[in-house]
Amino acid sequence: MWIKKRKDKILKICRAVIFIIILCFIVGYLSSVLVSKSSYSKVSPFLKEEENFDVLFMGISHMQVGVYPMDLWKDYGIASFNFGESGARLPYSYWALKNALDYTTPELVVIDVRRMDVNDKEYDDYVSTVFDEFPLSKTKYEAAMDLFGDWDMRLEFLFPFIKYHSRWTELDENDFTKELYRINQGAYSYPKESLHVAIPEEHQIISKDDKSEGGVLAQKYLRQMIELCQGQGIDVMLTELPYPADEEAQRLANGVADIADEYGINYINFLQMDGIIDFDTDMNDKSAHVNDSGARKITSYLGNYIKENYSVPDRREDKKYSSWNDVYKKYEEYKISRIKEQTSLDNYLMLLSDKNLSSCIYINEGADILRDERMKNLLMNISQHQDLTQLDAAGESREDYLLIVDNGSSKVWEGIGEEISPDLDTSFGRIENVADEDEEPYILIQGTDKSYFLNIGENSLIADIQIMVINNSSGEVVDMAAFNVDVRSDNISATRN
């Protein structure tokens, strides 16, 4: 009898264990489906990386949109991750950094000091984007206890399923596939509907000696971040990324120099530097965030500075990091896809400001585009600010204009009116002026994969502007676009045909 009872007891225990396992599996699956995928797309590339990250970038949205890790990889071989996120003020950045250091040991941590005025731990929903994907751990528990004063918020922070359990009506296919759509190692690129070339607010740079200390809480957590890194032998660099800051924001940024001096670390205050970005071409909104053109300039400056001042290795020839080359190819494809989807000329030209792309741009005679200073600035921006000597003359004479930007060999060619007769070799093929059987001229580009042409003269009347874009890595033409100009009062714009 006792044997039967024992078997029944064991059977009940087994059923209970199996039930718990199945329940955990179901809850785990539902949690993975219901939890917002913003954190997965942001943090999972970091958690899944088997090799070490040599540089981590911390900060709010200015950092999130202002530094591109995959460009750092391409140009400098720096393996980095961008933890910048909207609303991630210094208390949250501190805990994001501490969680990250459980998984990697970088050579350098770069901290953007925007929002030194913060003097509370106000919770922002965007913080979920950084923390939800981090597994439950002692560090995450400590973060919950420090950041939140009540257990409801702590539990939601530790177990994200709790706050997302009612997301049934919001589910889409991405919730089931968990597609990685942030392929720039944590950085963010604006989608088409949010991408702009903004006219910035007016601002004046004040004296670097005009300072304010900022909030006590912000100072406390900035110091804790510095001391956390230095305690582990990790270099720290502080930044205030560029934007048209008002005077009080500049005073706060200037005050950070004293903290940097106290700890003997470098501080790049871009607000005190002129010429790193061009506010006329590089702002996505008028007061705060840079667009892709601005981000690439900031990234390039920081890449040079890091290589010159820190012992950060070049990993491009390291076989352990070979997967980064595959990620870069996806990133490159993503950049090109964004160019192809643009319908406004200003966004299109802004995205061509990329030293890894070359372009041929033909502007038909009489097109008002060259009378617009903003559009001329965008053309100058594409040429990496090499001197375009005939741009103004074309605008004044209303003659047609051809610009060839060969970033593969760092050369620029331009022609105006009857002088448009290129005969040159470029990094992406030979370019020459030829005529068809009716003696109508056109520009022939004999590319590495096939030949292309741009209509000029009377043949060009189908569009005001024609653009051909070349990928320097492959030498292939990746897009051809035509735009027509729309003139309304003092505003000049152009939309894609």
Side-chain angles (χ1 to χ4, degrees), residues 57 62-70 72 80 82 110 184-188 239 241 290 295-296 298-299 302:
F57 294 95
H62 289 219
M63 179 64 81
Q64 176 192 20
V65 301
V67 177
Y68 287 173
M70 292 315 300
L72 289 174
S80 63
N82 188 335
V110 181
N184 198 357
Q185 300 293 9
Y188 181 74
T239 67
L241 297 185
V290 295
R296 280 191 283 269
I298 295 168
T299 301
L302 288 175

mmCIF file with all atom_site columns, all heavy atoms in Angstrom, residues 57 62-70 72 80 82 110 184-188 239 241 290 295-296 298-299 302:
data_model
loop_
_atom_site.group_PDB
_atom_site.id
_atom_site.type_symbol
_atom_site.label_atom_id
_atom_site.label_alt_id
_atom_site.label_comp_id
_atom_site.label_asym_id
_atom_site.label_entity_id
_atom_site.label_seq_id
_atom_site.pdbx_PDB_ins_code
_atom_site.Cartn_x
_atom_site.Cartn_y
_atom_site.Cartn_z
_atom_site.occupancy
_atom_site.B_iso_or_equiv
_atom_site.pdbx_formal_charge
_atom_site.auth_seq_id
_atom_site.auth_comp_id
_atom_site.auth_asym_id
_atom_site.auth_atom_id
_atom_site.pdbx_PDB_model_num
ATOM 1   N N   . PHE A 1 57  ? 29.737 54.370 -25.406 1.00 0.00 ? 57  PHE A N   1
ATOM 2   C CA  . PHE A 1 57  ? 29.253 55.746 -25.418 1.00 0.00 ? 57  PHE A CA  1
ATOM 3   C C   . PHE A 1 57  ? 27.980 55.822 -24.581 1.00 0.00 ? 57  PHE A C   1
ATOM 4   O O   . PHE A 1 57  ? 27.036 55.057 -24.800 1.00 0.00 ? 57  PHE A O   1
ATOM 5   C CB  . PHE A 1 57  ? 28.962 56.204 -26.847 1.00 0.00 ? 57  PHE A CB  1
ATOM 6   C CG  . PHE A 1 57  ? 30.186 56.299 -27.716 1.00 0.00 ? 57  PHE A CG  1
ATOM 7   C CD1 . PHE A 1 57  ? 30.565 55.243 -28.538 1.00 0.00 ? 57  PHE A CD1 1
ATOM 8   C CD2 . PHE A 1 57  ? 30.975 57.439 -27.706 1.00 0.00 ? 57  PHE A CD2 1
ATOM 9   C CE1 . PHE A 1 57  ? 31.701 55.322 -29.336 1.00 0.00 ? 57  PHE A CE1 1
ATOM 10  C CE2 . PHE A 1 57  ? 32.114 57.532 -28.493 1.00 0.00 ? 57  PHE A CE2 1
ATOM 11  C CZ  . PHE A 1 57  ? 32.474 56.471 -29.312 1.00 0.00 ? 57  PHE A CZ  1
ATOM 12  N N   . HIS A 1 62  ? 21.142 63.039 -27.577 1.00 0.00 ? 62  HIS A N   1
ATOM 13  C CA  . HIS A 1 62  ? 22.215 63.697 -28.336 1.00 0.00 ? 62  HIS A CA  1
ATOM 14  C C   . HIS A 1 62  ? 23.302 62.684 -28.700 1.00 0.00 ? 62  HIS A C   1
ATOM 15  O O   . HIS A 1 62  ? 23.841 62.723 -29.810 1.00 0.00 ? 62  HIS A O   1
ATOM 16  C CB  . HIS A 1 62  ? 22.820 64.842 -27.517 1.00 0.00 ? 62  HIS A CB  1
ATOM 17  C CG  . HIS A 1 62  ? 21.920 66.014 -27.383 1.00 0.00 ? 62  HIS A CG  1
ATOM 18  N ND1 . HIS A 1 62  ? 22.360 67.317 -27.423 1.00 0.00 ? 62  HIS A ND1 1
ATOM 19  C CD2 . HIS A 1 62  ? 20.578 66.106 -27.192 1.00 0.00 ? 62  HIS A CD2 1
ATOM 20  C CE1 . HIS A 1 62  ? 21.345 68.152 -27.278 1.00 0.00 ? 62  HIS A CE1 1
ATOM 21  N NE2 . HIS A 1 62  ? 20.255 67.430 -27.127 1.00 0.00 ? 62  HIS A NE2 1
ATOM 22  N N   . MET A 1 63  ? 23.618 61.805 -27.769 1.00 0.00 ? 63  MET A N   1
ATOM 23  C CA  . MET A 1 63  ? 24.590 60.756 -28.042 1.00 0.00 ? 63  MET A CA  1
ATOM 24  C C   . MET A 1 63  ? 23.986 59.683 -28.937 1.00 0.00 ? 63  MET A C   1
ATOM 25  O O   . MET A 1 63  ? 24.634 59.180 -29.871 1.00 0.00 ? 63  MET A O   1
ATOM 26  C CB  . MET A 1 63  ? 25.067 60.132 -26.721 1.00 0.00 ? 63  MET A CB  1
ATOM 27  C CG  . MET A 1 63  ? 26.081 59.007 -26.893 1.00 0.00 ? 63  MET A CG  1
ATOM 28  S SD  . MET A 1 63  ? 27.634 59.565 -27.633 1.00 0.00 ? 63  MET A SD  1
ATOM 29  C CE  . MET A 1 63  ? 28.449 60.266 -26.192 1.00 0.00 ? 63  MET A CE  1
ATOM 30  N N   . GLN A 1 64  ? 22.747 59.330 -28.679 1.00 0.00 ? 64  GLN A N   1
ATOM 31  C CA  . GLN A 1 64  ? 22.059 58.280 -29.422 1.00 0.00 ? 64  GLN A CA  1
ATOM 32  C C   . GLN A 1 64  ? 22.077 58.536 -30.928 1.00 0.00 ? 64  GLN A C   1
ATOM 33  O O   . GLN A 1 64  ? 22.293 57.623 -31.724 1.00 0.00 ? 64  GLN A O   1
ATOM 34  C CB  . GLN A 1 64  ? 20.614 58.185 -28.920 1.00 0.00 ? 64  GLN A CB  1
ATOM 35  C CG  . GLN A 1 64  ? 19.731 57.198 -29.649 1.00 0.00 ? 64  GLN A CG  1
ATOM 36  C CD  . GLN A 1 64  ? 18.267 57.397 -29.286 1.00 0.00 ? 64  GLN A CD  1
ATOM 37  O OE1 . GLN A 1 64  ? 17.876 58.465 -28.808 1.00 0.00 ? 64  GLN A OE1 1
ATOM 38  N NE2 . GLN A 1 64  ? 17.460 56.377 -29.497 1.00 0.00 ? 64  GLN A NE2 1
ATOM 39  N N   . VAL A 1 65  ? 21.849 59.790 -31.343 1.00 0.00 ? 65  VAL A N   1
ATOM 40  C CA  . VAL A 1 65  ? 21.791 60.111 -32.770 1.00 0.00 ? 65  VAL A CA  1
ATOM 41  C C   . VAL A 1 65  ? 23.086 60.743 -33.273 1.00 0.00 ? 65  VAL A C   1
ATOM 42  O O   . VAL A 1 65  ? 23.214 60.991 -34.481 1.00 0.00 ? 65  VAL A O   1
ATOM 43  C CB  . VAL A 1 65  ? 20.606 61.051 -33.080 1.00 0.00 ? 65  VAL A CB  1
ATOM 44  C CG1 . VAL A 1 65  ? 19.291 60.425 -32.663 1.00 0.00 ? 65  VAL A CG1 1
ATOM 45  C CG2 . VAL A 1 65  ? 20.790 62.423 -32.414 1.00 0.00 ? 65  VAL A CG2 1
ATOM 46  N N   . GLY A 1 66  ? 24.046 60.996 -32.372 1.00 0.00 ? 66  GLY A N   1
ATOM 47  C CA  . GLY A 1 66  ? 25.215 61.779 -32.751 1.00 0.00 ? 66  GLY A CA  1
ATOM 48  C C   . GLY A 1 66  ? 26.496 61.027 -32.994 1.00 0.00 ? 66  GLY A C   1
ATOM 49  O O   . GLY A 1 66  ? 27.443 61.599 -33.545 1.00 0.00 ? 66  GLY A O   1
ATOM 50  N N   . VAL A 1 67  ? 26.561 59.735 -32.618 1.00 0.00 ? 67  VAL A N   1
ATOM 51  C CA  . VAL A 1 67  ? 27.796 58.962 -32.795 1.00 0.00 ? 67  VAL A CA  1
ATOM 52  C C   . VAL A 1 67  ? 27.443 57.623 -33.423 1.00 0.00 ? 67  VAL A C   1
ATOM 53  O O   . VAL A 1 67  ? 26.603 56.883 -32.888 1.00 0.00 ? 67  VAL A O   1
ATOM 54  C CB  . VAL A 1 67  ? 28.536 58.753 -31.455 1.00 0.00 ? 67  VAL A CB  1
ATOM 55  C CG1 . VAL A 1 67  ? 29.778 57.885 -31.667 1.00 0.00 ? 67  VAL A CG1 1
ATOM 56  C CG2 . VAL A 1 67  ? 28.928 60.090 -30.841 1.00 0.00 ? 67  VAL A CG2 1
ATOM 57  N N   . TYR A 1 68  ? 28.096 57.298 -34.538 1.00 0.00 ? 68  TYR A N   1
ATOM 58  C CA  . TYR A 1 68  ? 27.796 56.083 -35.304 1.00 0.00 ? 68  TYR A CA  1
ATOM 59  C C   . TYR A 1 68  ? 28.909 55.043 -35.139 1.00 0.00 ? 68  TYR A C   1
ATOM 60  O O   . TYR A 1 68  ? 29.973 55.151 -35.765 1.00 0.00 ? 68  TYR A O   1
ATOM 61  C CB  . TYR A 1 68  ? 27.634 56.419 -36.779 1.00 0.00 ? 68  TYR A CB  1
ATOM 62  C CG  . TYR A 1 68  ? 26.365 57.152 -37.138 1.00 0.00 ? 68  TYR A CG  1
ATOM 63  C CD1 . TYR A 1 68  ? 26.174 57.645 -38.422 1.00 0.00 ? 68  TYR A CD1 1
ATOM 64  C CD2 . TYR A 1 68  ? 25.353 57.351 -36.209 1.00 0.00 ? 68  TYR A CD2 1
ATOM 65  C CE1 . TYR A 1 68  ? 25.008 58.309 -38.783 1.00 0.00 ? 68  TYR A CE1 1
ATOM 66  C CE2 . TYR A 1 68  ? 24.175 58.019 -36.547 1.00 0.00 ? 68  TYR A CE2 1
ATOM 67  C CZ  . TYR A 1 68  ? 24.014 58.486 -37.835 1.00 0.00 ? 68  TYR A CZ  1
ATOM 68  O OH  . TYR A 1 68  ? 22.859 59.141 -38.180 1.00 0.00 ? 68  TYR A OH  1
ATOM 69  N N   . PRO A 1 69  ? 28.700 54.012 -34.324 1.00 0.00 ? 69  PRO A N   1
ATOM 70  C CA  . PRO A 1 69  ? 29.737 52.996 -34.111 1.00 0.00 ? 69  PRO A CA  1
ATOM 71  C C   . PRO A 1 69  ? 30.211 52.288 -35.377 1.00 0.00 ? 69  PRO A C   1
ATOM 72  O O   . PRO A 1 69  ? 31.395 51.971 -35.499 1.00 0.00 ? 69  PRO A O   1
ATOM 73  C CB  . PRO A 1 69  ? 29.064 52.012 -33.148 1.00 0.00 ? 69  PRO A CB  1
ATOM 74  C CG  . PRO A 1 69  ? 28.120 52.855 -32.362 1.00 0.00 ? 69  PRO A CG  1
ATOM 75  C CD  . PRO A 1 69  ? 27.571 53.825 -33.368 1.00 0.00 ? 69  PRO A CD  1
ATOM 76  N N   . MET A 1 70  ? 29.306 52.046 -36.343 1.00 0.00 ? 70  MET A N   1
ATOM 77  C CA  . MET A 1 70  ? 29.754 51.324 -37.534 1.00 0.00 ? 70  MET A CA  1
ATOM 78  C C   . MET A 1 70  ? 30.635 52.187 -38.423 1.00 0.00 ? 70  MET A C   1
ATOM 79  O O   . MET A 1 70  ? 31.478 51.659 -39.163 1.00 0.00 ? 70  MET A O   1
ATOM 80  C CB  . MET A 1 70  ? 28.560 50.782 -38.317 1.00 0.00 ? 70  MET A CB  1
ATOM 81  C CG  . MET A 1 70  ? 27.798 49.663 -37.609 1.00 0.00 ? 70  MET A CG  1
ATOM 82  S SD  . MET A 1 70  ? 28.848 48.375 -36.846 1.00 0.00 ? 70  MET A SD  1
ATOM 83  C CE  . MET A 1 70  ? 29.761 47.735 -38.242 1.00 0.00 ? 70  MET A CE  1
ATOM 84  N N   . LEU A 1 72  ? 32.785 54.289 -37.044 1.00 0.00 ? 72  LEU A N   1
ATOM 85  C CA  . LEU A 1 72  ? 34.042 54.151 -36.297 1.00 0.00 ? 72  LEU A CA  1
ATOM 86  C C   . LEU A 1 72  ? 34.739 52.842 -36.654 1.00 0.00 ? 72  LEU A C   1
ATOM 87  O O   . LEU A 1 72  ? 35.969 52.778 -36.731 1.00 0.00 ? 72  LEU A O   1
ATOM 88  C CB  . LEU A 1 72  ? 33.780 54.213 -34.790 1.00 0.00 ? 72  LEU A CB  1
ATOM 89  C CG  . LEU A 1 72  ? 33.389 55.573 -34.219 1.00 0.00 ? 72  LEU A CG  1
ATOM 90  C CD1 . LEU A 1 72  ? 33.010 55.434 -32.742 1.00 0.00 ? 72  LEU A CD1 1
ATOM 91  C CD2 . LEU A 1 72  ? 34.525 56.582 -34.367 1.00 0.00 ? 72  LEU A CD2 1
ATOM 92  N N   . SER A 1 80  ? 32.815 49.473 -30.871 1.00 0.00 ? 80  SER A N   1
ATOM 93  C CA  . SER A 1 80  ? 32.158 50.314 -29.869 1.00 0.00 ? 80  SER A CA  1
ATOM 94  C C   . SER A 1 80  ? 30.662 50.047 -29.841 1.00 0.00 ? 80  SER A C   1
ATOM 95  O O   . SER A 1 80  ? 30.096 49.442 -30.763 1.00 0.00 ? 80  SER A O   1
ATOM 96  C CB  . SER A 1 80  ? 32.413 51.797 -30.168 1.00 0.00 ? 80  SER A CB  1
ATOM 97  O OG  . SER A 1 80  ? 31.851 52.171 -31.409 1.00 0.00 ? 80  SER A OG  1
ATOM 98  N N   . ASN A 1 82  ? 26.897 52.159 -28.614 1.00 0.00 ? 82  ASN A N   1
ATOM 99  C CA  . ASN A 1 82  ? 26.285 53.426 -28.225 1.00 0.00 ? 82  ASN A CA  1
ATOM 100 C C   . ASN A 1 82  ? 25.081 53.150 -27.326 1.00 0.00 ? 82  ASN A C   1
ATOM 101 O O   . ASN A 1 82  ? 24.045 52.686 -27.787 1.00 0.00 ? 82  ASN A O   1
ATOM 102 C CB  . ASN A 1 82  ? 25.856 54.197 -29.474 1.00 0.00 ? 82  ASN A CB  1
ATOM 103 C CG  . ASN A 1 82  ? 25.399 55.609 -29.172 1.00 0.00 ? 82  ASN A CG  1
ATOM 104 O OD1 . ASN A 1 82  ? 24.961 55.910 -28.059 1.00 0.00 ? 82  ASN A OD1 1
ATOM 105 N ND2 . ASN A 1 82  ? 25.479 56.482 -30.164 1.00 0.00 ? 82  ASN A ND2 1
ATOM 106 N N   . VAL A 1 110 ? 32.999 56.910 -22.989 1.00 0.00 ? 110 VAL A N   1
ATOM 107 C CA  . VAL A 1 110 ? 32.758 58.306 -23.357 1.00 0.00 ? 110 VAL A CA  1
ATOM 108 C C   . VAL A 1 110 ? 31.377 58.699 -22.825 1.00 0.00 ? 110 VAL A C   1
ATOM 109 O O   . VAL A 1 110 ? 30.374 58.070 -23.166 1.00 0.00 ? 110 VAL A O   1
ATOM 110 C CB  . VAL A 1 110 ? 32.809 58.513 -24.881 1.00 0.00 ? 110 VAL A CB  1
ATOM 111 C CG1 . VAL A 1 110 ? 32.583 59.981 -25.237 1.00 0.00 ? 110 VAL A CG1 1
ATOM 112 C CG2 . VAL A 1 110 ? 34.146 58.022 -25.438 1.00 0.00 ? 110 VAL A CG2 1
ATOM 113 N N   . ASN A 1 184 ? 23.372 49.625 -36.162 1.00 0.00 ? 184 ASN A N   1
ATOM 114 C CA  . ASN A 1 184 ? 24.472 50.564 -35.960 1.00 0.00 ? 184 ASN A CA  1
ATOM 115 C C   . ASN A 1 184 ? 24.936 50.531 -34.505 1.00 0.00 ? 184 ASN A C   1
ATOM 116 O O   . ASN A 1 184 ? 25.256 51.559 -33.924 1.00 0.00 ? 184 ASN A O   1
ATOM 117 C CB  . ASN A 1 184 ? 24.055 51.982 -36.366 1.00 0.00 ? 184 ASN A CB  1
ATOM 118 C CG  . ASN A 1 184 ? 25.249 52.897 -36.594 1.00 0.00 ? 184 ASN A CG  1
ATOM 119 O OD1 . ASN A 1 184 ? 26.400 52.506 -36.401 1.00 0.00 ? 184 ASN A OD1 1
ATOM 120 N ND2 . ASN A 1 184 ? 24.974 54.135 -36.967 1.00 0.00 ? 184 ASN A ND2 1
ATOM 121 N N   . GLN A 1 185 ? 24.959 49.336 -33.908 1.00 0.00 ? 185 GLN A N   1
ATOM 122 C CA  . GLN A 1 185 ? 25.470 49.125 -32.555 1.00 0.00 ? 185 GLN A CA  1
ATOM 123 C C   . GLN A 1 185 ? 24.911 50.150 -31.568 1.00 0.00 ? 185 GLN A C   1
ATOM 124 O O   . GLN A 1 185 ? 25.640 50.827 -30.865 1.00 0.00 ? 185 GLN A O   1
ATOM 125 C CB  . GLN A 1 185 ? 27.002 49.137 -32.553 1.00 0.00 ? 185 GLN A CB  1
ATOM 126 C CG  . GLN A 1 185 ? 27.643 48.073 -33.423 1.00 0.00 ? 185 GLN A CG  1
ATOM 127 C CD  . GLN A 1 185 ? 27.418 46.654 -32.917 1.00 0.00 ? 185 GLN A CD  1
ATOM 128 O OE1 . GLN A 1 185 ? 26.649 46.416 -31.999 1.00 0.00 ? 185 GLN A OE1 1
ATOM 129 N NE2 . GLN A 1 185 ? 28.099 45.694 -33.526 1.00 0.00 ? 185 GLN A NE2 1
ATOM 130 N N   . GLY A 1 186 ? 23.579 50.229 -31.502 1.00 0.00 ? 186 GLY A N   1
ATOM 131 C CA  . GLY A 1 186 ? 22.918 51.052 -30.504 1.00 0.00 ? 186 GLY A CA  1
ATOM 132 C C   . GLY A 1 186 ? 22.557 52.457 -30.945 1.00 0.00 ? 186 GLY A C   1
ATOM 133 O O   . GLY A 1 186 ? 21.705 53.093 -30.320 1.00 0.00 ? 186 GLY A O   1
ATOM 134 N N   . ALA A 1 187 ? 23.209 52.974 -31.993 1.00 0.00 ? 187 ALA A N   1
ATOM 135 C CA  . ALA A 1 187 ? 22.897 54.327 -32.469 1.00 0.00 ? 187 ALA A CA  1
ATOM 136 C C   . ALA A 1 187 ? 21.578 54.317 -33.228 1.00 0.00 ? 187 ALA A C   1
ATOM 137 O O   . ALA A 1 187 ? 21.107 53.275 -33.684 1.00 0.00 ? 187 ALA A O   1
ATOM 138 C CB  . ALA A 1 187 ? 24.022 54.852 -33.353 1.00 0.00 ? 187 ALA A CB  1
ATOM 139 N N   . TYR A 1 188 ? 21.012 55.499 -33.383 1.00 0.00 ? 188 TYR A N   1
ATOM 140 C CA  . TYR A 1 188 ? 19.691 55.623 -34.000 1.00 0.00 ? 188 TYR A CA  1
ATOM 141 C C   . TYR A 1 188 ? 19.765 56.522 -35.224 1.00 0.00 ? 188 TYR A C   1
ATOM 142 O O   . TYR A 1 188 ? 20.382 57.585 -35.190 1.00 0.00 ? 188 TYR A O   1
ATOM 143 C CB  . TYR A 1 188 ? 18.703 56.227 -32.994 1.00 0.00 ? 188 TYR A CB  1
ATOM 144 C CG  . TYR A 1 188 ? 17.296 56.379 -33.501 1.00 0.00 ? 188 TYR A CG  1
ATOM 145 C CD1 . TYR A 1 188 ? 16.468 55.280 -33.639 1.00 0.00 ? 188 TYR A CD1 1
ATOM 146 C CD2 . TYR A 1 188 ? 16.798 57.634 -33.834 1.00 0.00 ? 188 TYR A CD2 1
ATOM 147 C CE1 . TYR A 1 188 ? 15.162 55.421 -34.098 1.00 0.00 ? 188 TYR A CE1 1
ATOM 148 C CE2 . TYR A 1 188 ? 15.491 57.794 -34.292 1.00 0.00 ? 188 TYR A CE2 1
ATOM 149 C CZ  . TYR A 1 188 ? 14.679 56.674 -34.426 1.00 0.00 ? 188 TYR A CZ  1
ATOM 150 O OH  . TYR A 1 188 ? 13.398 56.816 -34.878 1.00 0.00 ? 188 TYR A OH  1
ATOM 151 N N   . THR A 1 239 ? 32.138 64.477 -22.887 1.00 0.00 ? 239 THR A N   1
ATOM 152 C CA  . THR A 1 239 ? 31.822 65.314 -24.043 1.00 0.00 ? 239 THR A CA  1
ATOM 153 C C   . THR A 1 239 ? 30.533 66.087 -23.780 1.00 0.00 ? 239 THR A C   1
ATOM 154 O O   . THR A 1 239 ? 29.704 65.687 -22.963 1.00 0.00 ? 239 THR A O   1
ATOM 155 C CB  . THR A 1 239 ? 31.600 64.484 -25.329 1.00 0.00 ? 239 THR A CB  1
ATOM 156 O OG1 . THR A 1 239 ? 30.422 63.690 -25.182 1.00 0.00 ? 239 THR A OG1 1
ATOM 157 C CG2 . THR A 1 239 ? 32.784 63.603 -25.644 1.00 0.00 ? 239 THR A CG2 1
ATOM 158 N N   . LEU A 1 241 ? 28.133 67.164 -26.767 1.00 0.00 ? 241 LEU A N   1
ATOM 159 C CA  . LEU A 1 241 ? 28.028 67.144 -28.224 1.00 0.00 ? 241 LEU A CA  1
ATOM 160 C C   . LEU A 1 241 ? 27.381 68.426 -28.739 1.00 0.00 ? 241 LEU A C   1
ATOM 161 O O   . LEU A 1 241 ? 26.621 69.082 -28.032 1.00 0.00 ? 241 LEU A O   1
ATOM 162 C CB  . LEU A 1 241 ? 27.235 65.915 -28.669 1.00 0.00 ? 241 LEU A CB  1
ATOM 163 C CG  . LEU A 1 241 ? 27.880 64.559 -28.332 1.00 0.00 ? 241 LEU A CG  1
ATOM 164 C CD1 . LEU A 1 241 ? 27.063 63.423 -28.937 1.00 0.00 ? 241 LEU A CD1 1
ATOM 165 C CD2 . LEU A 1 241 ? 29.324 64.476 -28.814 1.00 0.00 ? 241 LEU A CD2 1
ATOM 166 N N   . VAL A 1 290 ? 21.306 66.435 -34.111 1.00 0.00 ? 290 VAL A N   1
ATOM 167 C CA  . VAL A 1 290 ? 21.917 66.453 -35.438 1.00 0.00 ? 290 VAL A CA  1
ATOM 168 C C   . VAL A 1 290 ? 21.268 65.399 -36.334 1.00 0.00 ? 290 VAL A C   1
ATOM 169 O O   . VAL A 1 290 ? 20.678 64.424 -35.853 1.00 0.00 ? 290 VAL A O   1
ATOM 170 C CB  . VAL A 1 290 ? 23.439 66.200 -35.360 1.00 0.00 ? 290 VAL A CB  1
ATOM 171 C CG1 . VAL A 1 290 ? 24.137 67.324 -34.636 1.00 0.00 ? 290 VAL A CG1 1
ATOM 172 C CG2 . VAL A 1 290 ? 23.758 64.854 -34.714 1.00 0.00 ? 290 VAL A CG2 1
ATOM 173 N N   . ALA A 1 295 ? 26.033 63.789 -37.551 1.00 0.00 ? 295 ALA A N   1
ATOM 174 C CA  . ALA A 1 295 ? 26.532 62.638 -36.807 1.00 0.00 ? 295 ALA A CA  1
ATOM 175 C C   . ALA A 1 295 ? 27.836 62.114 -37.400 1.00 0.00 ? 295 ALA A C   1
ATOM 176 O O   . ALA A 1 295 ? 28.755 61.728 -36.666 1.00 0.00 ? 295 ALA A O   1
ATOM 177 C CB  . ALA A 1 295 ? 25.477 61.530 -36.796 1.00 0.00 ? 295 ALA A CB  1
ATOM 178 N N   . ARG A 1 296 ? 27.920 62.089 -38.730 1.00 0.00 ? 296 ARG A N   1
ATOM 179 C CA  . ARG A 1 296 ? 29.151 61.585 -39.347 1.00 0.00 ? 296 ARG A CA  1
ATOM 180 C C   . ARG A 1 296 ? 30.341 62.497 -39.029 1.00 0.00 ? 296 ARG A C   1
ATOM 181 O O   . ARG A 1 296 ? 31.468 62.023 -38.830 1.00 0.00 ? 296 ARG A O   1
ATOM 182 C CB  . ARG A 1 296 ? 28.955 61.445 -40.853 1.00 0.00 ? 296 ARG A CB  1
ATOM 183 C CG  . ARG A 1 296 ? 28.198 60.181 -41.239 1.00 0.00 ? 296 ARG A CG  1
ATOM 184 C CD  . ARG A 1 296 ? 28.238 59.935 -42.725 1.00 0.00 ? 296 ARG A CD  1
ATOM 185 N NE  . ARG A 1 296 ? 27.314 60.798 -43.437 1.00 0.00 ? 296 ARG A NE  1
ATOM 186 C CZ  . ARG A 1 296 ? 26.051 60.474 -43.727 1.00 0.00 ? 296 ARG A CZ  1
ATOM 187 N NH1 . ARG A 1 296 ? 25.578 59.310 -43.345 1.00 0.00 ? 296 ARG A NH1 1
ATOM 188 N NH2 . ARG A 1 296 ? 25.281 61.307 -44.391 1.00 0.00 ? 296 ARG A NH2 1
ATOM 189 N N   . ILE A 1 298 ? 30.668 64.455 -36.289 1.00 0.00 ? 298 ILE A N   1
ATOM 190 C CA  . ILE A 1 298 ? 31.003 64.232 -34.878 1.00 0.00 ? 298 ILE A CA  1
ATOM 191 C C   . ILE A 1 298 ? 31.758 62.926 -34.717 1.00 0.00 ? 298 ILE A C   1
ATOM 192 O O   . ILE A 1 298 ? 32.779 62.840 -34.009 1.00 0.00 ? 298 ILE A O   1
ATOM 193 C CB  . ILE A 1 298 ? 29.721 64.223 -34.019 1.00 0.00 ? 298 ILE A CB  1
ATOM 194 C CG1 . ILE A 1 298 ? 29.047 65.591 -34.039 1.00 0.00 ? 298 ILE A CG1 1
ATOM 195 C CG2 . ILE A 1 298 ? 30.037 63.812 -32.589 1.00 0.00 ? 298 ILE A CG2 1
ATOM 196 C CD1 . ILE A 1 298 ? 27.640 65.588 -33.456 1.00 0.00 ? 298 ILE A CD1 1
ATOM 197 N N   . THR A 1 299 ? 31.260 61.877 -35.366 1.00 0.00 ? 299 THR A N   1
ATOM 198 C CA  . THR A 1 299 ? 31.884 60.559 -35.274 1.00 0.00 ? 299 THR A CA  1
ATOM 199 C C   . THR A 1 299 ? 33.317 60.594 -35.779 1.00 0.00 ? 299 THR A C   1
ATOM 200 O O   . THR A 1 299 ? 34.220 60.010 -35.172 1.00 0.00 ? 299 THR A O   1
ATOM 201 C CB  . THR A 1 299 ? 31.063 59.532 -36.066 1.00 0.00 ? 299 THR A CB  1
ATOM 202 O OG1 . THR A 1 299 ? 29.726 59.472 -35.539 1.00 0.00 ? 299 THR A OG1 1
ATOM 203 C CG2 . THR A 1 299 ? 31.689 58.154 -35.987 1.00 0.00 ? 299 THR A CG2 1
ATOM 204 N N   . LEU A 1 302 ? 35.546 62.431 -33.210 1.00 0.00 ? 302 LEU A N   1
ATOM 205 C CA  . LEU A 1 302 ? 35.805 61.594 -32.035 1.00 0.00 ? 302 LEU A CA  1
ATOM 206 C C   . LEU A 1 302 ? 36.703 60.416 -32.380 1.00 0.00 ? 302 LEU A C   1
ATOM 207 O O   . LEU A 1 302 ? 37.558 60.036 -31.577 1.00 0.00 ? 302 LEU A O   1
ATOM 208 C CB  . LEU A 1 302 ? 34.485 61.092 -31.448 1.00 0.00 ? 302 LEU A CB  1
ATOM 209 C CG  . LEU A 1 302 ? 33.622 62.141 -30.733 1.00 0.00 ? 302 LEU A CG  1
ATOM 210 C CD1 . LEU A 1 302 ? 32.293 61.533 -30.306 1.00 0.00 ? 302 LEU A CD1 1
ATOM 211 C CD2 . LEU A 1 302 ? 34.350 62.705 -29.513 1.00 0.00 ? 302 LEU A CD2 1
#
